[in-house]
Amino acid sequence: MKLVLLAGGKGERLKPLTETSQKTLMPILNKPLICRHLEKLTKNFNFEKIIIIISYKKEQVIDTINKCIENNKNIVYLDQIEEKGTGHAIKLAMDYGGEDDYLIVYSDLYLSNNVYNNLIKLKSPGIVVTDVNNPINYGVVKIENEIVKEIKEKPKSNEYNSNTIFAGIIRFPYEAKKYLDSLRLSPRNEYEVTDAIRDMIKEFDISVLKIHRNEWQDIGRPWELLLANRLALDEEIKNQVIMGEVHETVIIKGNVFIDKNAEIKPYTVIEGPAFISRNTSIGPSSHIRPYTILIDNSSVGYSVEVKGSIIMNHAKLPHFNYVGDSIVGEHVNLGAGTITANLRFDHKPIKMKVKEDIIDTGMEKLGSIIGEHAQTGINVSILPGKKIGPYALIYPGCVVDRDVNSHEIFKCK
């Protein structure tokens, strides 16, 4: 069997995070998504070859895999060059790999350990499915007797009668390639693998492996990275593991992982689940609340409160900050008193602009998404659901009431 990981997309809906990073490098706890897939999948399968489809920021993907996977001699990188869709990417892999069975995984997915372990049960041809509340953003699947009877990519609200979706994992025999060869461009101007599956239904019984919704998360939009990491915290942080330096006055409650060379300074309170990576610094007198993740070399200074957020590499929250339900990118520096508001007065779900659409995130609490190397001055307030692009500068005392572009200098009116 050969493994195919799709890692070429630009991740337009994940901006500003993907303006500087490839989407498959988004972290789950402290591990890039694609490294997590490789580590988990190779434990359960003995792949003859691993084919990784790359394109956007391909050097980042290759460099990251070289750092996280020691034995990578059976990994092959294929440059998609033009991003023509999933059908085109899989055809490229099968053209290279030749006759064999293929396990194909979209790399921008969070999967639980249970899903990785159960993929051995996926028959060929077969797909993994799950149920979601809003299926119109996915390939909607109709199933009878555990066999796919119909699949439709991103249907309109009046065009589907199922909440079951294709979850981005396929097992194909080489015979499926002829359906990829004959694909035509979709209305989105892409070659869709769901169209190939639709055509295969006429000849093959395509089986399904159904997984629980809480074992899977598509990471296509910024807040979904928060949701995926919360699932990972619940699954993987089951007790207190403390390897760093913790002052005797620190209070730790719940399930918390503190890695080597982390320093927790006096009078800090940490409430789990939380993940604190190596070479991080917290405190003194700070409060780390549940579902917080601090990644390598980040720092949380004096009298800072962080709740339900991801703080990326080398990000700095120096003093008197509140960061709630937010993502703070690499090398971001927040000025003293910077606040990320995360709750509307009316308690309605937060909306966020994704590409040109205003999307209801379904989250009552959602703060800011801050791209890497952005900086705020003192006493900046960022309203819920706002995005700040990489290298942006926010002047002191400003209220950020709109999205800020990359490299923009935001001055108060």
Side-chain angles (χ1 to χ4, degrees):
M1 181 189 292
K2 293 182 174 70
L3 171 65
V4 178
L5 292 176
L6 305 185
K10 290 181 179 178
E12 292 282 352
R13 296 179 302 151
L14 258 177
K15 287 183 176 179
L17 302 174
T18 49
E19 289 187 56
T20 50
S21 294
Q22 220 284 336
K23 65 178 179 177
T24 63
L25 307 185
M26 295 298 108
I28 298 298
L29 302 183
N30 194 33
K31 191 179 293 293
L33 269 168
I34 197 160
C35 293
R36 177 182 168 88
H37 286 313
L38 286 167
E39 178 185 291
K40 303 286 187 180
L41 289 166
T42 53
K43 281 183 179 178
N44 295 325
F45 292 89
N46 184 22
F47 297 109
E48 177 190 336
K49 188 72 69 178
I50 298 172
I51 302 170
I52 301 178
I53 305 297
I54 55 175
S55 181
Y56 177 68
K57 296 193 179 297
K58 56 192 174 186
E59 295 85 2
Q60 286 187 359
V61 176
I62 295 170
D63 183 59
T64 299
I65 292 173
N66 286 339
K67 290 177 180 177
C68 70
I69 303 296
E70 291 183 2
N71 184 15
N72 56 11
K73 293 181 180 179
N74 66 336
I75 294 178
V76 173
Y77 299 95
L78 297 182
D79 191 344
Q80 194 177 6
I81 303 176
E82 295 181 79
E83 294 165 28
K84 297 180 180 179
T86 52
H88 175 261
I90 297 167
K91 171 179 158 40
L92 186 67
M94 295 178 81
D95 282 341
Y96 172 86
E99 294 191 16
D100 205 341
D101 212 30
Y102 290 82
L103 179 65
I104 301 146
V105 178
Y106 291 22
S107 293
D108 55 351
L109 301 174
Y110 164 80
L111 304 174
S112 73
N113 288 323
N114 190 52
V115 172
Y116 289 114
N117 292 336
N118 283 328
L119 282 180
I120 196 72
K121 300 176 184 178
L122 180 62
K123 298 176 183 178
S124 182
I127 63 173
V128 175
V129 299
T130 192
D131 291 336
V132 297
N133 293 328
N134 186 13
I136 61 174
N137 294 317
Y138 305 96
V140 178
V141 181
K142 184 178 179 180
I143 300 167
E144 293 180 8
N145 299 319
E146 299 186 349
I147 299 296
V148 178
K149 293 299 180 182
E150 187 178 338
I151 186 166
K152 188 171 183 64
E153 182 67 25
K154 293 181 173 61
K156 296 179 181 178
S157 57
N158 62 345
E159 293 181 338
Y160 71 92
N161 56 3
S162 168
N163 284 340
T164 301
I165 63 158
F166 165 53
I169 306 170
I170 312 166
R171 189 165 175 180
F172 268 172
Y174 186 72
E175 289 75 16
K177 182 178 173 296
K178 65 182 180 181
Y179 296 98
L180 299 168
D181 292 338
S182 60
L183 281 175
R184 296 181 179 180
L185 286 171
S186 71
R188 298 194 304 159
N189 204 35
E190 293 184 357
Y191 296 101
E192 311 274 7
V193 71
T194 46
D195 289 344
I197 295 170
R198 179 200 62 207
D199 294 339
M200 286 178 65
I201 292 170
K202 302 169 186 176
E203 181 179 349
F204 291 93
D205 285 341
I206 300 177
S207 63
V208 297
L209 174 66
K210 193 164 189 178
I211 59 176
H212 194 275
R213 178 64 182 86
N214 287 338
E215 297 180 322
W216 174 93
Q217 178 64 57
D218 173 41
I219 305 176
R221 298 168 297 186
W223 64 90
E224 291 167 341
L225 181 61
L226 287 173
L227 296 176
N229 274 277
R230 292 172 187 180
L231 292 174
L233 280 168
D234 283 336
E235 180 183 34
E236 300 188 18
I237 308 303
K238 294 294 189 182
N239 48 37
Q240 289 188 7
V241 177
I242 301 173
M243 296 185 287
E245 180 182 343
V246 178
H247 192 271
E248 61 183 9
T249 59
V250 171
I251 297 173
I252 300 176
K253 300 179 180 180
N255 300 327
V256 174
F257 177 88
I258 301 176
D259 208 343
K260 297 175 182 178
N261 299 321
E263 182 182 8
I264 317 300
K265 297 179 180 178
Y267 304 106
T268 291
V269 175
I270 301 176
E271 299 177 75
F275 184 96
I276 298 166
S277 190
R278 54 186 176 267
N279 302 316
T280 52
S281 174
I282 302 175
S285 303
S286 289
H287 188 183
I288 303 300
R289 293 174 59 191
Y291 293 102
T292 292
I293 295 168
L294 272 66
I295 298 179
D296 295 356
N297 303 295
S298 57
S299 62
V300 172
Y302 174 70
S303 195
V304 173
E305 182 177 355
V306 186
K307 177 252 177 185
S309 298
I310 302 171
I311 313 301
M312 301 281 204
N313 297 340
H314 296 280
K316 295 180 179 179
L317 287 54
H319 27 227
F320 303 113
N321 307 115
Y322 173 74
V323 177
D325 302 282
S326 299
I327 300 174
V328 180
E330 295 185 9
H331 297 277
V332 166
N333 188 82
L334 301 186
T338 292
I339 301 294
T340 65
N342 63 341
L343 180 68
R344 289 169 51 123
F345 281 153
D346 57 11
H347 289 232
K348 290 183 178 180
I350 308 298
K351 295 181 179 179
M352 183 175 285
K353 187 175 182 181
V354 178
K355 298 180 75 171
E356 299 305 317
D357 299 322
I358 304 299
I359 305 295
D360 185 341
T361 67
M363 298 180 70
E364 183 179 333
K365 292 187 177 182
L366 178 62
S368 310
I369 311 298
I370 305 176
E372 68 175 55
H373 288 277
Q375 296 185 59
T376 66
I378 63 170
N379 298 325
V380 167
S381 297
I382 309 171
L383 297 190
K386 302 309 174 190
K387 299 187 292 184
I388 296 174
Y391 297 92
L393 297 177
I394 314 296
Y395 265 43
C398 289
V399 175
V400 179
D401 58 358
R402 63 168 175 84
D403 288 354
V404 179
N405 295 324
S406 60
H407 296 275
E408 180 180 350
I409 298 176
F410 184 98
K411 297 182 179 180
C412 309
K413 297 181 180 179

